[in-house]
Amino acid sequence: MKVLSYPPKNSQIHAYLLFFFICNVQIGIGIFSFQRYVFQIAKHDAWISVIIACLYAHVLLWLIVRMLSKYESTDLYGIHFDMFGKYIGTLFNCIYMLYYLFVTILIMRSYVVVVQVWMFPDMSSWLIGLLLVSLTIYAGFGGIRVIVGMCLLGFVVILITVFFCLATLKYAIWTQLLPVMESSVMDILKGSFRMSFTLAGFEFIMLIYPYVRNKERTMLHSQLSLLFGNVVYLSIMILSLVYFSSSQLIRSIWPTFNMLKILKFPFTERLEFIVISMWMLMVLTGILINTWAITRGFKRMWNSNQKVMLLVVIFLAFGVTVMMEGRKNIERLSHLIGGSSAVLSLLYPLLLSLIVMIVFKVRERKRTSKGGDTS
């Protein structure tokens, strides 16, 4: 496998499209339930946990982009090959591909559960899953430019959802944010750790980087995208804290959906039905991006046909999704992915970026010393 990757020009994208790409991969189905998990640990200081996690994400993204700029044009798979060699690098790449597969399964299964609970309780899991599979194959065959184009539409869905949630402001009880620092520092930090899976996604910049045409603007647009996503999560968290009581927030499985239930329109009394339907687009982009990352790995390491591998990957995910029954199994998978994302999305990229910087400094010193000896 070659370290550097040069995609054809008709597959490349402008850097400003990274804003929409990262927004879609970072803001997913977890936006409807993350408040509960963070609140269980940090209580009414959960908003502080979100801020800490967001600040760390910005620092980590800065390090990732700096690491990528050391290479002319490469991705995570190429960096592993360059830093650790053929065998260990391939092992690390396979771990990430397996992780993206499980994330795909979790996204698909979570959306199936939401549809069954809120809209169609008697609808079979395989029918909903098959619809997602069909759309994934149709859009996935179009390549990365089609996927990024769908992210543009997904951004509109995010804006609409946040706008609807702002309706809860007239019922807000702002004193529920007091007293500040009610929880211990350790609990607040644990709450930040629970945000790991929710915030994960911006590290996909390590995979799409070779496709960016004007790479010098990668830092700007990726940081702006991450800032937008962090503001969305912080806003939803604060709205939830001032709208729900403590007991309500702990009991609520999907707090964001419960907030939307207060909105009434002449043409519908169940706005959450519309939001769930719109969010199929967001779920689809999440599945597309993760499956593209897996097939890209097969292409880079074994020169496999991405369309063929897409069929294999998506039907494998579909089979596991249909067989996975019971909320406990979904929660186990969610906890597994949450712990894995903390390592693979938030801790390991930090370590990898430091390793790359050290290795490049050592290589530069060797070149300098060789140049001095030659002269």
Side-chain angles (χ1 to χ4, degrees), residues 21-156:
F21 178 83
I22 295 177
C23 280
N24 277 256
V25 75
Q26 186 188 16
I27 302 176
I29 197 74
I31 196 174
F32 297 112
S33 59
F34 79 98
Q35 310 98 303
R36 174 178 173 236
Y37 298 110
V38 181
F39 182 81
Q40 286 175 342
I41 300 175
K43 303 303 178 185
H44 287 98
D45 291 322
W47 62 277
I48 302 178
S49 297
V50 175
I51 291 177
I52 294 174
C54 293
L55 291 176
Y56 175 78
H58 279 287
V59 174
L60 180 57
L61 180 60
W62 181 81
L63 288 172
I64 289 174
V65 177
R66 285 289 303 272
M67 173 186 68
L68 292 171
S69 64
K70 298 289 184 180
Y71 295 89
E72 185 178 349
S73 179
T74 192
D75 54 15
L76 177 64
Y77 300 126
I79 293 174
H80 279 160
F81 191 82
D82 183 40
M83 291 292 109
F84 307 112
K86 178 180 178 180
Y87 297 106
I88 298 179
T90 301
L91 175 62
F92 284 179
N93 290 340
C94 290
I95 291 173
Y96 264 91
M97 290 163 64
L98 186 63
Y99 165 69
Y100 295 139
L101 176 62
F102 280 114
V103 171
T104 302
I105 294 170
L106 181 60
I107 293 173
M108 191 179 297
R109 185 60 201 173
S110 298
Y111 187 72
V112 168
V113 170
V114 169
V115 173
Q116 289 176 332
V117 171
W118 288 86
M119 297 180 69
F120 305 112
D122 298 326
M123 182 174 285
S124 301
S125 300
W126 67 267
L127 185 59
I128 306 172
L130 191 61
L131 176 61
L132 291 173
V133 167
S134 303
L135 293 173
T136 301
I137 294 173
Y138 178 74
F141 276 15
I144 188 62
R145 289 174 67 91
V146 174
I147 296 174
V148 174
M150 293 190 64
C151 290
L152 287 168
L153 300 176
F155 180 74
V156 177

Side-chain angles (χ1 to χ4, degrees), residues 3-4 18 22 60-80 202-212 215 218-219 222 349 352-354 356-357 360:
V3 174
L4 299 180
L18 288 174
I22 295 177
L60 180 57
L61 180 60
W62 181 81
L63 288 172
I64 289 174
V65 177
R66 285 289 303 272
M67 173 186 68
L68 292 171
S69 64
K70 298 289 184 180
Y71 295 89
E72 185 178 349
S73 179
T74 192
D75 54 15
L76 177 64
Y77 300 126
I79 293 174
H80 279 160
F202 60 88
E203 75 281 358
F204 272 87
I205 188 71
M206 294 188 290
L207 296 174
I208 200 174
Y209 184 76
Y211 290 85
V212 180
K215 292 180 172 56
T218 300
M219 180 72 80
S222 58
L352 181 62
S353 61
L354 295 177
V356 170
M357 290 180 184
F360 268 77

Side-chain angles (χ1 to χ4, degrees), residues 141-260:
F141 276 15
I144 188 62
R145 289 174 67 91
V146 174
I147 296 174
V148 174
M150 293 190 64
C151 290
L152 287 168
L153 300 176
F155 180 74
V156 177
V157 175
I158 296 172
L159 291 179
I160 293 173
T161 304
V162 174
F163 176 76
F164 284 155
C165 290
L166 292 176
T168 59
L169 282 173
K170 61 180 178 181
Y171 302 105
I173 304 175
W174 294 98
T175 54
Q176 291 185 165
L177 294 176
L178 302 174
V180 179
M181 297 299 293
E182 175 187 16
S183 302
S184 65
V185 175
M186 187 57 65
D187 286 339
I188 293 175
L189 293 177
K190 287 180 180 178
S192 299
F193 182 80
R194 288 297 294 268
M195 279 290 296
S196 59
F197 179 62
T198 307
L199 287 180
F202 60 88
E203 75 281 358
F204 272 87
I205 188 71
M206 294 188 290
L207 296 174
I208 200 174
Y209 184 76
Y211 290 85
V212 180
R213 189 169 299 172
N214 45 338
K215 292 180 172 56
E216 68 280 358
R217 300 185 66 83
T218 300
M219 180 72 80
L220 172 63
H221 295 291
S222 58
Q223 288 285 1
L224 288 176
S225 177
L226 182 60
L227 177 61
F228 173 82
N230 291 340
V231 170
V232 169
Y233 279 122
L234 180 60
S235 302
I236 298 295
M237 174 58 79
I238 293 177
L239 288 173
S240 300
L241 292 173
V242 298
Y243 177 72
F244 294 104
S245 65
S246 299
S247 58
Q248 288 175 331
L249 192 52
I250 289 178
R251 290 198 309 267
S252 179
I253 299 176
W254 294 290
T256 307
F257 282 142
N258 291 331
M259 286 195 294
L260 296 175

Side-chain angles (χ1 to χ4, degrees), residues 259-273:
M259 286 195 294
L260 296 175
K261 289 173 67 174
I262 68 170
L263 289 173
K264 306 290 182 182
F265 291 99
F267 56 89
T268 180
E269 292 188 358
R270 300 298 299 271
L271 182 65
E272 64 271 18
F273 284 11

